[in-house]
Coordinates of all heavy atoms in Angstrom, one line a residue:
K1 N 0.8 -1.2 0.0 CA 0.0 0.0 0.0 C 0.9 1.2 0.0 O 1.9 1.3 0.7 CB -0.9 0.0 1.2 CG -2.2 -0.7 1.1 CD -3.0 -0.5 2.3 CE -4.3 -1.2 2.2 NZ -5.1 -1.1 3.4
N2 N 0.4 2.3 -0.7 CA 1.1 3.5 -0.7 C 0.4 4.6 0.1 O -0.5 5.2 -0.3 CB 1.3 4.0 -2.1 CG 2.4 5.0 -2.2 OD1 3.0 5.3 -1.3 ND2 2.6 5.5 -3.5
S3 N 0.8 4.6 1.4 CA 0.2 5.6 2.3 C 0.7 6.9 2.0 O 1.8 7.2 1.6 CB 0.7 5.2 3.7 OG 0.3 6.2 4.6
K4 N -0.1 7.9 2.4 CA 0.3 9.3 2.2 C 1.3 9.7 3.3 O 1.9 10.8 3.2 CB -0.9 10.3 2.3 CG -1.6 10.3 3.6 CD -2.8 11.2 3.6 CE -3.6 11.2 4.9 NZ -4.7 12.0 5.0
F5 N 1.6 8.8 4.2 CA 2.6 9.0 5.3 C 4.0 8.4 5.0 O 4.8 8.3 5.9 CB 2.1 8.6 6.6 CG 0.8 9.2 7.0 CD1 -0.4 8.5 7.0 CD2 0.8 10.6 7.4 CE1 -1.6 9.1 7.4 CE2 -0.4 11.2 7.8 CZ -1.6 10.5 7.8
Y6 N 4.2 8.1 3.7 CA 5.4 7.4 3.4 C 6.7 8.2 3.7 O 7.7 7.7 4.0 CB 5.5 7.0 1.9 CG 5.6 8.1 0.9 CD1 6.9 8.5 0.5 CD2 4.5 8.8 0.4 CE1 7.1 9.6 -0.3 CE2 4.7 9.9 -0.4 CZ 6.0 10.3 -0.8 OH 6.2 11.3 -1.7
K7 N 6.6 9.5 3.7 CA 7.7 10.4 4.1 C 8.2 10.1 5.5 O 9.4 10.4 5.8 CB 7.4 11.9 3.8 CG 7.2 12.2 2.4 CD 6.8 13.6 2.2 CE 6.6 13.9 0.8 NZ 6.3 15.4 0.5
T8 N 7.4 9.6 6.3 CA 7.8 9.3 7.7 C 8.9 8.3 7.7 O 9.8 8.3 8.5 CB 6.5 8.7 8.4 OG1 5.5 9.7 8.4 CG2 6.9 8.4 9.9
Y9 N 8.9 7.4 6.7 CA 9.9 6.3 6.6 C 11.4 7.0 6.5 O 12.4 6.5 7.0 CB 9.7 5.3 5.5 CG 8.6 4.4 5.8 CD1 7.3 4.7 5.3 CD2 8.8 3.3 6.7 CE1 6.3 3.8 5.6 CE2 7.7 2.5 7.0 CZ 6.5 2.7 6.5 OH 5.4 1.9 6.8
F10 N 11.4 8.1 5.7 CA 12.7 8.8 5.5 C 13.2 9.3 6.9 O 14.3 9.1 7.3 CB 12.6 9.9 4.5 CG 13.8 10.6 4.3 CD1 14.8 10.1 3.4 CD2 14.1 11.8 4.9 CE1 15.9 10.8 3.1 CE2 15.4 12.5 4.7 CZ 16.2 12.0 3.8
Q11 N 12.3 9.9 7.7 CA 12.7 10.5 9.0 C 13.0 9.3 9.9 O 14.0 9.5 10.7 CB 11.5 11.3 9.5 CG 11.2 12.5 8.7 CD 12.4 13.5 8.5 OE1 13.3 13.6 9.4 NE2 12.5 14.0 7.3
L12 N 12.3 8.2 9.9 CA 12.6 7.1 10.8 C 14.0 6.5 10.4 O 14.8 6.1 11.2 CB 11.6 6.0 10.7 CG 10.2 6.4 11.3 CD1 9.1 5.3 10.9 CD2 10.3 6.5 12.8
G13 N 14.3 6.5 9.1 CA 15.6 6.0 8.6 C 16.7 7.0 9.1 O 17.8 6.5 9.6
R14 N 16.5 8.2 9.1 CA 17.5 9.2 9.7 C 17.7 9.0 11.1 O 18.8 9.0 11.6 CB 17.1 10.7 9.3 CG 17.1 11.0 7.9 CD 16.8 12.5 7.6 NE 17.9 13.3 8.2 CZ 17.6 14.4 8.9 NH1 16.4 14.9 9.0 NH2 18.6 15.1 9.5
I15 N 16.6 8.8 11.8 CA 16.7 8.6 13.3 C 17.5 7.4 13.6 O 18.4 7.4 14.5 CB 15.3 8.6 13.9 CG1 14.7 10.0 13.9 CG2 15.4 8.1 15.4 CD1 13.2 10.0 14.2
A16 N 17.2 6.3 12.9 CA 17.9 5.0 13.1 C 19.3 5.2 12.8 O 20.2 4.7 13.5 CB 17.2 3.9 12.3
F17 N 19.7 5.9 11.8 CA 21.0 6.1 11.4 C 21.8 6.9 12.5 O 22.9 6.6 12.9 CB 21.2 6.9 10.1 CG 22.6 7.2 9.7 CD1 23.4 6.2 9.1 CD2 23.1 8.5 9.9 CE1 24.7 6.5 8.8 CE2 24.5 8.8 9.6 CZ 25.2 7.8 9.0
L18 N 21.1 7.9 13.0 CA 21.7 8.7 14.1 C 21.9 7.9 15.3 O 22.8 8.3 16.1 CB 20.9 10.0 14.3 CG 20.9 11.0 13.2 CD1 19.8 12.1 13.5 CD2 22.2 11.6 13.0
E19 N 21.1 7.0 15.6 CA 21.2 6.0 16.7 C 22.1 4.9 16.4 O 22.3 4.0 17.2 CB 19.9 5.5 17.1 CG 19.0 6.6 17.7 CD 17.6 6.1 18.0 OE1 17.2 5.0 17.6 OE2 16.9 6.8 18.7
N20 N 22.9 5.0 15.2 CA 23.8 4.0 14.8 C 23.2 2.6 14.6 O 23.9 1.6 14.7 CB 25.0 3.9 15.7 CG 26.2 3.3 15.0 OD1 26.4 3.6 13.8 ND2 27.1 2.6 15.7
D21 N 21.9 2.6 14.2 CA 21.2 1.3 13.9 C 21.1 1.2 12.4 O 20.0 1.5 11.9 CB 19.9 1.2 14.6 CG 19.2 -0.2 14.5 OD1 19.7 -0.9 13.6 OD2 18.4 -0.4 15.3
K22 N 22.2 0.9 11.7 CA 22.2 0.9 10.3 C 21.2 -0.1 9.6 O 20.7 0.1 8.6 CB 23.6 0.7 9.7 CG 24.5 1.9 10.1 CD 25.9 1.7 9.6 CE 26.7 2.9 10.0 NZ 28.1 2.8 9.6
E23 N 21.0 -1.2 10.3 CA 20.1 -2.2 9.7 C 18.7 -1.7 9.7 O 17.9 -1.8 8.7 CB 20.2 -3.6 10.5 CG 21.5 -4.3 10.4 CD 21.8 -4.6 8.9 OE1 20.9 -5.0 8.1 OE2 23.0 -4.5 8.6
K24 N 18.3 -1.0 10.8 CA 17.0 -0.4 10.9 C 16.9 0.7 9.9 O 15.8 0.9 9.3 CB 16.6 0.0 12.3 CG 15.1 0.3 12.5 CD 14.9 0.8 13.9 CE 14.7 -0.5 14.8 NZ 14.3 -0.2 16.1
A25 N 17.9 1.5 9.8 CA 17.9 2.6 8.8 C 17.8 2.1 7.4 O 17.0 2.7 6.6 CB 19.3 3.4 8.9
I26 N 18.4 1.0 7.1 CA 18.2 0.4 5.7 C 16.8 0.0 5.5 O 16.2 0.2 4.5 CB 19.1 -0.8 5.5 CG1 20.6 -0.3 5.3 CG2 18.7 -1.7 4.3 CD1 21.6 -1.4 5.3
T27 N 16.2 -0.6 6.5 CA 14.8 -1.1 6.4 C 13.9 0.1 6.1 O 13.0 0.0 5.2 CB 14.3 -1.8 7.7 OG1 15.1 -2.9 7.9 CG2 12.9 -2.2 7.6
Y28 N 14.0 1.1 6.9 CA 13.1 2.3 6.6 C 13.4 3.0 5.3 O 12.5 3.4 4.6 CB 13.3 3.3 7.7 CG 12.7 2.9 9.1 CD1 13.4 2.9 10.2 CD2 11.4 2.4 9.2 CE1 12.9 2.5 11.4 CE2 10.8 2.0 10.4 CZ 11.6 2.1 11.5 OH 11.0 1.7 12.7
M29 N 14.7 3.1 4.9 CA 15.1 3.8 3.7 C 14.6 3.1 2.5 O 14.2 3.7 1.5 CB 16.6 4.1 3.7 CG 17.0 5.2 4.7 SD 16.2 6.7 4.6 CE 17.1 7.5 3.3
K30 N 14.7 1.7 2.6 CA 14.2 0.9 1.5 C 12.7 1.2 1.2 O 12.3 1.3 0.1 CB 14.4 -0.6 1.8 CG 15.8 -1.1 1.4 CD 16.0 -2.6 1.7 CE 15.1 -3.5 0.9 NZ 15.4 -4.9 1.1
V31 N 11.9 1.1 2.3 CA 10.5 1.4 2.1 C 10.3 2.8 1.5 O 9.5 2.9 0.6 CB 9.8 1.3 3.5 CG1 8.3 1.7 3.3 CG2 9.8 -0.2 4.0
Y32 N 11.0 3.8 2.0 CA 10.9 5.1 1.5 C 11.2 5.2 0.0 O 10.5 5.7 -0.9 CB 11.7 6.1 2.2 CG 11.6 7.5 1.7 CD1 10.5 8.3 2.0 CD2 12.6 8.0 0.9 CE1 10.4 9.6 1.4 CE2 12.5 9.3 0.3 CZ 11.4 10.0 0.6 OH 11.3 11.3 0.0
V33 N 12.3 4.6 -0.4 CA 12.8 4.6 -1.8 C 11.9 3.9 -2.7 O 11.6 4.2 -3.8 CB 14.2 4.2 -1.9 CG1 14.6 3.9 -3.4 CG2 15.2 5.2 -1.3
E34 N 11.3 2.7 -2.2 CA 10.3 2.0 -3.0 C 9.1 2.8 -3.3 O 8.5 2.8 -4.3 CB 9.9 0.7 -2.3 CG 11.0 -0.4 -2.3 CD 10.6 -1.5 -1.3 OE1 9.6 -1.5 -0.7 OE2 11.5 -2.4 -1.2
R35 N 8.7 3.7 -2.3 CA 7.5 4.5 -2.5 C 7.8 5.9 -3.2 O 6.9 6.6 -3.6 CB 6.8 4.7 -1.2 CG 6.3 3.4 -0.7 CD 5.5 3.5 0.5 NE 4.9 2.2 0.8 CZ 4.8 1.7 2.0 NH1 5.1 2.4 3.1 NH2 4.2 0.5 2.1
N36 N 9.1 6.2 -3.2 CA 9.4 7.5 -3.8 C 10.8 7.3 -4.6 O 11.8 7.7 -4.2 CB 9.7 8.5 -2.7 CG 9.8 10.0 -3.3 OD1 9.5 10.2 -4.4 ND2 10.3 10.9 -2.5
P37 N 10.7 6.5 -5.7 CA 11.9 6.0 -6.4 C 12.7 7.0 -7.2 O 13.7 6.7 -7.8 CB 11.3 5.0 -7.4 CG 9.9 5.4 -7.6 CD 9.4 6.1 -6.3
Y38 N 12.3 8.3 -7.1 CA 13.1 9.4 -7.8 C 13.7 10.3 -6.8 O 14.1 11.4 -7.2 CB 12.2 10.1 -8.9 CG 11.7 9.1 -9.9 CD1 10.5 8.6 -9.9 CD2 12.6 8.7 -10.9 CE1 10.1 7.7 -10.9 CE2 12.2 7.8 -11.9 CZ 10.9 7.3 -11.9 OH 10.5 6.4 -12.8
D39 N 13.7 10.0 -5.5 CA 14.3 10.8 -4.6 C 15.8 10.6 -4.6 O 16.3 9.6 -4.0 CB 13.7 10.6 -3.2 CG 14.2 11.6 -2.2 OD1 15.4 11.9 -2.1 OD2 13.4 12.0 -1.3
E40 N 16.6 11.4 -5.3 CA 18.0 11.2 -5.5 C 18.8 11.2 -4.1 O 19.6 10.2 -3.9 CB 18.6 12.3 -6.3 CG 20.0 12.2 -6.6 CD 20.6 13.4 -7.4 OE1 19.9 14.3 -7.8 OE2 21.8 13.3 -7.7
P41 N 18.6 12.1 -3.2 CA 19.3 12.0 -2.0 C 19.0 10.8 -1.1 O 19.9 10.2 -0.6 CB 18.9 13.3 -1.2 CG 18.4 14.2 -2.2 CD 17.8 13.4 -3.3
A42 N 17.8 10.3 -1.1 CA 17.5 9.1 -0.4 C 18.1 7.9 -1.0 O 18.6 7.1 -0.3 CB 15.9 9.0 -0.4
M43 N 18.1 7.8 -2.3 CA 18.7 6.7 -3.0 C 20.3 6.7 -2.7 O 20.8 5.6 -2.4 CB 18.5 6.7 -4.5 CG 17.1 6.4 -4.9 SD 16.9 6.1 -6.7 CE 17.3 7.7 -7.3
K44 N 20.9 7.8 -2.7 CA 22.3 7.9 -2.4 C 22.6 7.6 -0.9 O 23.6 6.9 -0.6 CB 22.9 9.3 -2.8 CG 22.9 9.5 -4.3 CD 23.4 10.9 -4.7 CE 23.5 11.0 -6.2 NZ 24.0 12.3 -6.5
N45 N 21.7 8.0 0.0 CA 21.9 7.6 1.4 C 21.7 6.1 1.6 O 22.5 5.5 2.3 CB 20.8 8.3 2.3 CG 21.1 9.7 2.5 OD1 22.3 10.2 2.4 ND2 20.1 10.5 2.8
L46 N 20.8 5.5 0.9 CA 20.6 4.1 0.9 C 21.8 3.4 0.4 O 22.3 2.4 0.9 CB 19.3 3.6 0.2 CG 19.0 2.1 0.3 CD1 18.9 1.7 1.7 CD2 17.7 1.9 -0.4
F47 N 22.3 3.8 -0.8 CA 23.6 3.3 -1.3 C 24.7 3.3 -0.3 O 25.4 2.3 -0.1 CB 24.0 4.1 -2.5 CG 25.3 3.8 -3.1 CD1 25.5 2.7 -3.9 CD2 26.4 4.6 -2.7 CE1 26.8 2.4 -4.4 CE2 27.7 4.3 -3.2 CZ 27.9 3.2 -4.0
L48 N 24.9 4.4 0.4 CA 26.0 4.5 1.4 C 25.7 3.5 2.5 O 26.7 2.9 3.1 CB 26.1 5.9 1.9 CG 26.7 6.9 0.8 CD1 26.7 8.3 1.4 CD2 28.1 6.5 0.4
L49 N 24.5 3.4 2.9 CA 24.2 2.4 4.0 C 24.5 1.0 3.6 O 25.1 0.2 4.3 CB 22.7 2.5 4.4 CG 22.3 3.7 5.3 CD1 20.8 3.9 5.3 CD2 22.9 3.4 6.7
Y50 N 24.2 0.6 2.3 CA 24.5 -0.7 1.8 C 26.0 -0.8 1.8 O 26.5 -1.9 2.2 CB 24.0 -0.8 0.4 CG 22.5 -1.1 0.2 CD1 21.9 -0.7 -0.9 CD2 21.8 -1.8 1.2 CE1 20.5 -0.9 -1.1 CE2 20.5 -2.0 1.0 CZ 19.8 -1.6 -0.1 OH 18.5 -1.9 -0.3
V51 N 26.8 0.1 1.4 CA 28.3 0.0 1.3 C 28.8 -0.1 2.8 O 29.6 -1.0 3.0 CB 28.9 1.3 0.6 CG1 30.4 1.3 0.9 CG2 28.5 1.3 -0.8
D52 N 28.3 0.7 3.7 CA 28.8 0.7 5.1 C 28.5 -0.7 5.8 O 29.2 -1.1 6.7 CB 28.1 1.8 5.9 CG 28.7 3.2 5.6 OD1 29.7 3.2 4.9 OD2 28.1 4.1 6.1
T53 N 27.5 -1.4 5.3 CA 27.1 -2.7 6.0 C 27.6 -3.9 5.1 O 27.2 -5.0 5.4 CB 25.6 -2.7 6.2 OG1 24.9 -2.5 5.0 CG2 25.2 -1.7 7.3
G54 N 28.4 -3.6 4.1 CA 29.0 -4.7 3.3 C 28.0 -5.3 2.3 O 28.2 -6.4 1.8
R55 N 26.9 -4.7 2.0 CA 25.9 -5.2 1.1 C 26.2 -4.7 -0.4 O 25.5 -4.0 -0.9 CB 24.5 -4.8 1.5 CG 24.1 -5.3 2.8 CD 22.7 -4.9 3.1 NE 22.3 -5.3 4.4 CZ 21.0 -5.3 4.9 NH1 20.1 -4.8 4.1 NH2 20.8 -5.8 6.1
K56 N 27.3 -5.2 -0.9 CA 27.8 -4.7 -2.2 C 26.9 -5.1 -3.3 O 26.7 -4.3 -4.3 CB 29.2 -5.2 -2.4 CG 30.2 -4.6 -1.5 CD 31.7 -4.9 -2.0 CE 32.6 -4.1 -1.1 NZ 34.0 -4.3 -1.6
D57 N 26.2 -6.2 -3.3 CA 25.3 -6.6 -4.4 C 24.1 -5.6 -4.5 O 23.8 -5.1 -5.5 CB 24.8 -8.0 -4.2 CG 25.9 -9.1 -4.5 OD1 26.9 -8.7 -5.3 OD2 25.7 -10.2 -4.1
E58 N 23.6 -5.3 -3.3 CA 22.5 -4.4 -3.3 C 23.0 -3.0 -3.6 O 22.2 -2.2 -4.3 CB 21.8 -4.4 -1.9 CG 21.0 -5.7 -1.6 CD 20.6 -5.8 -0.2 OE1 21.5 -6.2 0.6 OE2 19.5 -5.5 0.1
A59 N 24.1 -2.6 -3.2 CA 24.7 -1.3 -3.5 C 24.9 -1.2 -5.0 O 24.6 -0.2 -5.6 CB 26.0 -1.1 -2.8
R60 N 25.4 -2.3 -5.7 CA 25.6 -2.2 -7.2 C 24.3 -2.1 -7.9 O 24.3 -1.3 -8.8 CB 26.3 -3.5 -7.6 CG 27.7 -3.6 -7.4 CD 28.4 -4.9 -8.0 NE 29.5 -5.2 -7.3 CZ 29.7 -6.2 -6.4 NH1 28.6 -6.9 -6.0 NH2 30.8 -6.4 -5.7
K61 N 23.3 -2.8 -7.5 CA 22.0 -2.7 -8.1 C 21.5 -1.2 -8.0 O 21.0 -0.6 -9.0 CB 21.0 -3.6 -7.5 CG 21.3 -5.1 -7.9 CD 20.2 -5.9 -7.2 CE 20.6 -7.4 -7.3 NZ 19.8 -8.3 -6.5
L62 N 21.6 -0.7 -6.8 CA 21.1 0.7 -6.6 C 21.9 1.7 -7.4 O 21.4 2.6 -8.0 CB 21.0 1.0 -5.1 CG 20.4 2.4 -4.7 CD1 19.0 2.4 -5.3 CD2 20.3 2.5 -3.2
Y63 N 23.2 1.5 -7.4 CA 24.1 2.4 -8.1 C 23.7 2.4 -9.7 O 23.6 3.5 -10.2 CB 25.6 1.8 -8.0 CG 26.6 2.6 -8.8 CD1 27.2 3.7 -8.3 CD2 26.9 2.2 -10.1 CE1 28.2 4.4 -9.0 CE2 27.8 3.0 -10.9 CZ 28.5 4.0 -10.3 OH 29.4 4.7 -11.0
K64 N 23.4 1.2 -10.2 CA 23.0 1.2 -11.6 C 21.7 1.9 -11.8 O 21.5 2.6 -12.8 CB 22.9 -0.3 -12.1 CG 24.2 -0.9 -12.2 CD 24.1 -2.4 -12.6 CE 25.4 -3.1 -12.6 NZ 25.3 -4.5 -12.8
K65 N 20.8 1.7 -10.9 CA 19.5 2.4 -11.0 C 19.6 4.0 -10.9 O 19.0 4.7 -11.6 CB 18.5 2.0 -9.8 CG 17.2 2.6 -9.8 CD 16.3 2.1 -8.6 CE 15.0 2.8 -8.6 NZ 14.1 2.4 -7.6
I66 N 20.5 4.4 -10.0 CA 20.8 5.9 -9.9 C 21.3 6.4 -11.2 O 20.8 7.5 -11.6 CB 21.7 6.1 -8.7 CG1 21.0 5.8 -7.3 CG2 22.2 7.6 -8.7 CD1 21.9 5.7 -6.1
I67 N 22.3 5.7 -11.8 CA 22.9 6.2 -13.0 C 21.8 6.1 -14.1 O 21.7 7.1 -14.9 CB 24.1 5.3 -13.4 CG1 25.2 5.5 -12.3 CG2 24.7 5.7 -14.7 CD1 25.7 6.9 -12.1
R68 N 21.1 5.0 -14.2 CA 20.1 4.9 -15.2 C 19.0 6.0 -15.2 O 18.5 6.4 -16.2 CB 19.3 3.5 -15.0 CG 19.0 2.8 -16.3 CD 18.4 1.4 -16.1 NE 17.8 1.1 -14.8 CZ 18.3 0.3 -13.9 NH1 19.4 -0.4 -14.1 NH2 17.6 0.0 -12.8
Q69 N 18.7 6.5 -14.0 CA 17.8 7.6 -13.8 C 18.4 9.0 -14.2 O 17.7 10.0 -14.1 CB 17.2 7.6 -12.4 CG 16.2 6.4 -12.2 CD 15.6 6.5 -10.8 OE1 16.0 7.3 -10.0 NE2 14.7 5.6 -10.6
G70 N 19.7 9.0 -14.5 CA 20.3 10.2 -15.0 C 21.0 11.0 -13.9 O 21.4 12.1 -14.1
Y71 N 21.1 10.4 -12.7 CA 21.7 11.1 -11.6 C 23.2 10.8 -11.6 O 23.6 9.8 -12.1 CB 21.1 10.7 -10.2 CG 19.7 11.0 -10.1 CD1 18.8 10.0 -9.8 CD2 19.1 12.3 -10.3 CE1 17.4 10.2 -9.7 CE2 17.8 12.5 -10.2 CZ 16.9 11.5 -9.9 OH 15.6 11.7 -9.8
S72 N 24.0 11.7 -11.1 CA 25.5 11.5 -11.0 C 25.8 10.9 -9.7 O 25.1 11.1 -8.7 CB 26.2 12.8 -11.3 OG 25.9 13.7 -10.2
M73 N 26.9 10.2 -9.7 CA 27.5 9.7 -8.4 C 28.9 10.2 -8.3 O 29.6 10.4 -9.3 CB 27.5 8.1 -8.5 CG 26.1 7.5 -8.4 SD 25.3 7.8 -6.8 CE 26.1 6.5 -5.8
P74 N 29.4 10.3 -7.0 CA 30.8 10.7 -6.9 C 31.7 9.7 -7.6 O 31.4 8.5 -7.7 CB 31.0 10.6 -5.3 CG 29.6 10.7 -4.8 CD 28.7 10.0 -5.8
A75 N 32.9 10.2 -8.0 CA 33.9 9.4 -8.8 C 34.3 8.1 -8.0 O 34.5 7.1 -8.5 CB 35.1 10.2 -9.1
D76 N 34.4 8.2 -6.7 CA 34.8 7.1 -5.9 C 33.7 6.1 -5.6 O 34.0 5.0 -5.0 CB 35.5 7.5 -4.6 CG 34.6 8.3 -3.6 OD1 33.5 8.8 -4.1 OD2 34.9 8.4 -2.5
A77 N 32.5 6.4 -5.9 CA 31.3 5.4 -5.6 C 31.5 4.1 -6.3 O 31.3 3.1 -5.7 CB 30.0 6.1 -6.1
A78 N 32.0 4.1 -7.5 CA 32.2 2.8 -8.2 C 33.2 1.9 -7.5 O 33.1 0.7 -7.5 CB 32.6 3.1 -9.7
K79 N 34.3 2.6 -7.0 CA 35.3 1.8 -6.3 C 34.8 1.3 -5.0 O 35.3 0.2 -4.6 CB 36.5 2.8 -6.0 CG 37.2 3.2 -7.2 CD 38.3 4.2 -6.9 CE 39.0 4.7 -8.1 NZ 39.9 5.8 -7.9
M80 N 33.8 1.9 -4.4 CA 33.2 1.4 -3.2 C 32.5 0.0 -3.3 O 32.4 -0.7 -2.4 CB 32.2 2.3 -2.6 CG 32.7 3.7 -2.2 SD 31.3 4.7 -1.6 CE 32.2 6.2 -1.2
I81 N 32.1 -0.3 -4.5 CA 31.3 -1.6 -4.8 C 32.1 -2.5 -5.6 O 31.5 -3.5 -6.1 CB 30.0 -1.2 -5.4 CG1 30.1 -0.4 -6.6 CG2 29.1 -0.5 -4.4 CD1 28.8 -0.1 -7.4
E82 N 33.4 -2.4 -5.7 CA 34.2 -3.4 -6.5 C 34.4 -4.6 -5.7 O 34.4 -4.6 -4.5 CB 35.6 -2.8 -6.8 CG 35.5 -1.7 -7.8 CD 36.9 -1.1 -8.2 OE1 37.9 -1.3 -7.4 OE2 36.9 -0.4 -9.1

């Protein structure tokens, strides 16, 4: 379901990240990005969370999606997922 309150997931993800609960942050950010798939900053935050937690396969998939959508990534982002 696509609730009108989906933006809450972004805030919950930020709170979880600030509490150093990266797994919970990933859970919330994934839901947010699924419901708002063109939010560039959110996708990049999720990418970094995947990298930080060693989820390189998921990071690679998201990296490709970000590029496919026409957004740019920092030059060192590709090296992060090698």
Side-chain angles (χ1 to χ4, degrees):
K1 271 184 180 177
N2 200 0
S3 166
K4 64 182 179 179
F5 300 109
Y6 72 91
K7 291 180 181 179
T8 304
Y9 288 100
F10 182 82
Q11 296 303 325
L12 290 170
R14 288 185 66 222
I15 292 166
F17 177 79
L18 292 172
E19 293 178 346
N20 204 31
D21 189 343
K22 292 180 182 176
E23 293 301 323
K24 192 177 280 186
I26 286 172
T27 299
Y28 289 129
M29 292 303 280
K30 273 179 68 172
V31 172
Y32 177 78
V33 169
E34 286 170 3
R35 294 187 172 141
N36 193 14
Y38 297 99
D39 186 320
E40 180 183 4
M43 287 190 296
K44 290 179 177 180
N45 286 336
L46 183 55
F47 169 82
L48 291 173
L49 283 165
Y50 284 150
V51 169
D52 285 349
T53 56
R55 297 179 181 194
K56 288 189 177 185
D57 288 340
E58 289 170 280
R60 279 186 206 99
K61 288 177 190 173
L62 188 54
Y63 177 89
K64 289 176 185 175
K65 179 180 178 179
I66 292 167
I67 298 300
R68 220 175 21 252
Q69 289 183 354
Y71 302 124
S72 63
M73 290 291 283
D76 63 341
K79 292 178 184 171
M80 295 176 180
I81 53 176
E82 289 178 345

